[in-house]
PDB file of all heavy atoms in Angstrom:
ATOM      1  N   MET A  86    -101.108  41.630-173.859  1.00 98.00           N
ATOM      2  CA  MET A  86    -101.950  42.179-172.803  1.00 98.00           C
ATOM      3  C   MET A  86    -102.383  43.582-173.224  1.00 98.00           C
ATOM      4  O   MET A  86    -101.536  44.453-173.437  1.00 98.00           O
ATOM      5  CB  MET A  86    -101.186  42.264-171.476  1.00 98.00           C
ATOM      6  CG  MET A  86    -100.674  40.939-170.939  1.00 98.00           C
ATOM      7  SD  MET A  86    -101.860  39.581-170.919  1.00 98.00           S
ATOM      8  CE  MET A  86    -103.208  40.305-170.008  1.00 98.00           C
ATOM      9  N   SER A  87    -103.692  43.792-173.309  1.00 98.00           N
ATOM     10  CA  SER A  87    -104.186  45.069-173.835  1.00 98.00           C
ATOM     11  C   SER A  87    -105.613  45.318-173.392  1.00 98.00           C
ATOM     12  O   SER A  87    -106.423  44.385-173.370  1.00 98.00           O
ATOM     13  CB  SER A  87    -104.122  45.009-175.370  1.00 98.00           C
ATOM     14  OG  SER A  87    -105.056  45.879-175.946  1.00 98.00           O
ATOM     15  N   PRO A  88    -105.951  46.577-173.050  1.00 97.00           N
ATOM     16  CA  PRO A  88    -107.332  46.840-172.638  1.00 97.00           C
ATOM     17  C   PRO A  88    -108.338  46.646-173.761  1.00 97.00           C
ATOM     18  O   PRO A  88    -109.540  46.600-173.515  1.00 97.00           O
ATOM     19  CB  PRO A  88    -107.291  48.301-172.164  1.00 97.00           C
ATOM     20  CG  PRO A  88    -106.046  48.881-172.701  1.00 97.00           C
ATOM     21  CD  PRO A  88    -105.092  47.758-172.963  1.00 97.00           C
ATOM     22  N   ILE A 129    -105.565  39.967-174.754  1.00 98.00           N
ATOM     23  CA  ILE A 129    -106.342  39.711-173.539  1.00 98.00           C
ATOM     24  C   ILE A 129    -106.312  40.946-172.651  1.00 98.00           C
ATOM     25  O   ILE A 129    -105.261  41.527-172.407  1.00 98.00           O
ATOM     26  CB  ILE A 129    -105.798  38.487-172.772  1.00 98.00           C
ATOM     27  CG1 ILE A 129    -106.036  37.207-173.589  1.00 98.00           C
ATOM     28  CG2 ILE A 129    -106.446  38.371-171.396  1.00 98.00           C
ATOM     29  CD1 ILE A 129    -105.539  35.939-172.921  1.00 98.00           C
ATOM     30  N   SER A 130    -107.501  41.318-172.156  1.00 98.00           N
ATOM     31  CA  SER A 130    -107.656  42.409-171.181  1.00 98.00           C
ATOM     32  C   SER A 130    -108.016  41.791-169.838  1.00 98.00           C
ATOM     33  O   SER A 130    -108.679  40.760-169.789  1.00 98.00           O
ATOM     34  CB  SER A 130    -108.785  43.335-171.640  1.00 98.00           C
ATOM     35  OG  SER A 130    -109.210  44.167-170.575  1.00 98.00           O
ATOM     36  N   ILE A 131    -107.579  42.404-168.745  1.00 98.00           N
ATOM     37  CA  ILE A 131    -108.034  41.890-167.440  1.00 98.00           C
ATOM     38  C   ILE A 131    -109.209  42.706-166.901  1.00 98.00           C
ATOM     39  O   ILE A 131    -109.658  42.468-165.787  1.00 98.00           O
ATOM     40  CB  ILE A 131    -106.896  41.807-166.395  1.00 98.00           C
ATOM     41  CG1 ILE A 131    -106.294  43.183-166.082  1.00 98.00           C
ATOM     42  CG2 ILE A 131    -105.830  40.822-166.848  1.00 98.00           C
ATOM     43  CD1 ILE A 131    -105.544  43.204-164.754  1.00 98.00           C
ATOM     44  N   GLY A 132    -109.710  43.647-167.661  1.00 98.00           N
ATOM     45  CA  GLY A 132    -110.886  44.396-167.216  1.00 98.00           C
ATOM     46  C   GLY A 132    -110.973  45.741-167.903  1.00 98.00           C
ATOM     47  O   GLY A 132    -110.019  46.192-168.534  1.00 98.00           O
ATOM     48  N   ASP A 133    -112.126  46.370-167.762  1.00 97.00           N
ATOM     49  CA  ASP A 133    -112.389  47.614-168.473  1.00 97.00           C
ATOM     50  C   ASP A 133    -111.831  48.823-167.750  1.00 97.00           C
ATOM     51  O   ASP A 133    -112.586  49.644-167.211  1.00 97.00           O
ATOM     52  CB  ASP A 133    -113.893  47.763-168.729  1.00 97.00           C
ATOM     53  CG  ASP A 133    -114.381  46.714-169.713  1.00 97.00           C
ATOM     54  OD1 ASP A 133    -113.555  46.196-170.487  1.00 97.00           O
ATOM     55  OD2 ASP A 133    -115.585  46.411-169.700  1.00 97.00           O
ATOM     56  N   TYR A 134    -110.516  48.890-167.702  1.00 97.00           N
ATOM     57  CA  TYR A 134    -109.792  50.032-167.145  1.00 97.00           C
ATOM     58  C   TYR A 134    -108.412  50.001-167.780  1.00 97.00           C
ATOM     59  O   TYR A 134    -108.001  48.962-168.320  1.00 97.00           O
ATOM     60  CB  TYR A 134    -109.686  49.952-165.615  1.00 97.00           C
ATOM     61  CG  TYR A 134    -109.402  48.558-165.125  1.00 97.00           C
ATOM     62  CD1 TYR A 134    -108.104  48.055-165.131  1.00 97.00           C
ATOM     63  CD2 TYR A 134    -110.431  47.730-164.701  1.00 97.00           C
ATOM     64  CE1 TYR A 134    -107.843  46.770-164.715  1.00 97.00           C
ATOM     65  CE2 TYR A 134    -110.184  46.443-164.282  1.00 97.00           C
ATOM     66  CZ  TYR A 134    -108.876  45.962-164.291  1.00 97.00           C
ATOM     67  OH  TYR A 134    -108.627  44.671-163.883  1.00 97.00           O
ATOM     68  N   VAL A 135    -107.704  51.121-167.739  1.00 97.00           N
ATOM     69  CA  VAL A 135    -106.408  51.185-168.425  1.00 97.00           C
ATOM     70  C   VAL A 135    -105.286  51.254-167.401  1.00 97.00           C
ATOM     71  O   VAL A 135    -105.254  52.144-166.548  1.00 97.00           O
ATOM     72  CB  VAL A 135    -106.352  52.402-169.373  1.00 97.00           C
ATOM     73  CG1 VAL A 135    -105.009  52.449-170.081  1.00 97.00           C
ATOM     74  CG2 VAL A 135    -107.482  52.329-170.393  1.00 97.00           C
ATOM     75  N   LEU A 136    -104.369  50.307-167.486  1.00 97.00           N
ATOM     76  CA  LEU A 136    -103.179  50.277-166.633  1.00 97.00           C
ATOM     77  C   LEU A 136    -102.052  51.019-167.346  1.00 97.00           C
ATOM     78  O   LEU A 136    -102.125  51.265-168.550  1.00 97.00           O
ATOM     79  CB  LEU A 136    -102.761  48.830-166.381  1.00 97.00           C
ATOM     80  CG  LEU A 136    -103.830  47.931-165.750  1.00 97.00           C
ATOM     81  CD1 LEU A 136    -103.416  46.469-165.843  1.00 97.00           C
ATOM     82  CD2 LEU A 136    -104.052  48.337-164.309  1.00 97.00           C
ATOM     83  N   THR A 137    -100.991  51.333-166.610  1.00 97.00           N
ATOM     84  CA  THR A 137     -99.866  52.031-167.255  1.00 97.00           C
ATOM     85  C   THR A 137     -99.037  51.086-168.125  1.00 97.00           C
ATOM     86  O   THR A 137     -98.267  51.528-168.963  1.00 97.00           O
ATOM     87  CB  THR A 137     -98.942  52.682-166.210  1.00 97.00           C
ATOM     88  OG1 THR A 137     -98.507  51.678-165.295  1.00 97.00           O
ATOM     89  CG2 THR A 137     -99.665  53.784-165.455  1.00 97.00           C
ATOM     90  N   GLY A 138     -99.200  49.790-167.906  1.00 97.00           N
ATOM     91  CA  GLY A 138     -98.479  48.826-168.730  1.00 97.00           C
ATOM     92  C   GLY A 138     -99.096  47.455-168.569  1.00 97.00           C
ATOM     93  O   GLY A 138     -99.960  47.255-167.706  1.00 97.00           O
ATOM     94  N   GLY A 139     -98.655  46.507-169.380  1.00 98.00           N
ATOM     95  CA  GLY A 139     -99.257  45.174-169.359  1.00 98.00           C
ATOM     96  C   GLY A 139     -98.708  44.242-168.279  1.00 98.00           C
ATOM     97  O   GLY A 139     -99.211  43.131-168.114  1.00 98.00           O
ATOM     98  N   ALA A 142    -101.136  43.113-165.527  1.00 98.00           N
ATOM     99  CA  ALA A 142    -102.150  42.274-166.175  1.00 98.00           C
ATOM    100  C   ALA A 142    -101.578  40.886-166.476  1.00 98.00           C
ATOM    101  O   ALA A 142    -102.231  39.868-166.245  1.00 98.00           O
ATOM    102  CB  ALA A 142    -102.628  42.947-167.458  1.00 98.00           C
TER     103      ALA A 142
HETATM  104  N1  LIG B   1    -102.649  47.091-170.382  1.00 85.24           N
HETATM  105  C1  LIG B   1    -103.184  48.251-169.972  1.00 85.24           C
HETATM  106  N2  LIG B   1    -104.409  48.079-169.473  1.00 85.24           N
HETATM  107  C2  LIG B   1    -104.673  46.738-169.549  1.00 85.24           C
HETATM  108  C3  LIG B   1    -105.783  45.936-169.193  1.00 85.24           C
HETATM  109  N3  LIG B   1    -106.898  46.432-168.663  1.00 85.24           N
HETATM  110  N4  LIG B   1    -105.710  44.609-169.437  1.00 85.24           N
HETATM  111  C4  LIG B   1    -104.597  44.092-170.000  1.00 85.24           C
HETATM  112  N5  LIG B   1    -103.529  44.799-170.354  1.00 85.24           N
HETATM  113  C5  LIG B   1    -103.549  46.113-170.127  1.00 85.24           C
END
Side-chain angles (χ1 to χ4, degrees):
M86 300 312 306
S87 155
I129 293 180
S130 164
I131 62 160
D133 293 337
Y134 41 81
V135 180
L136 303 167
T137 56

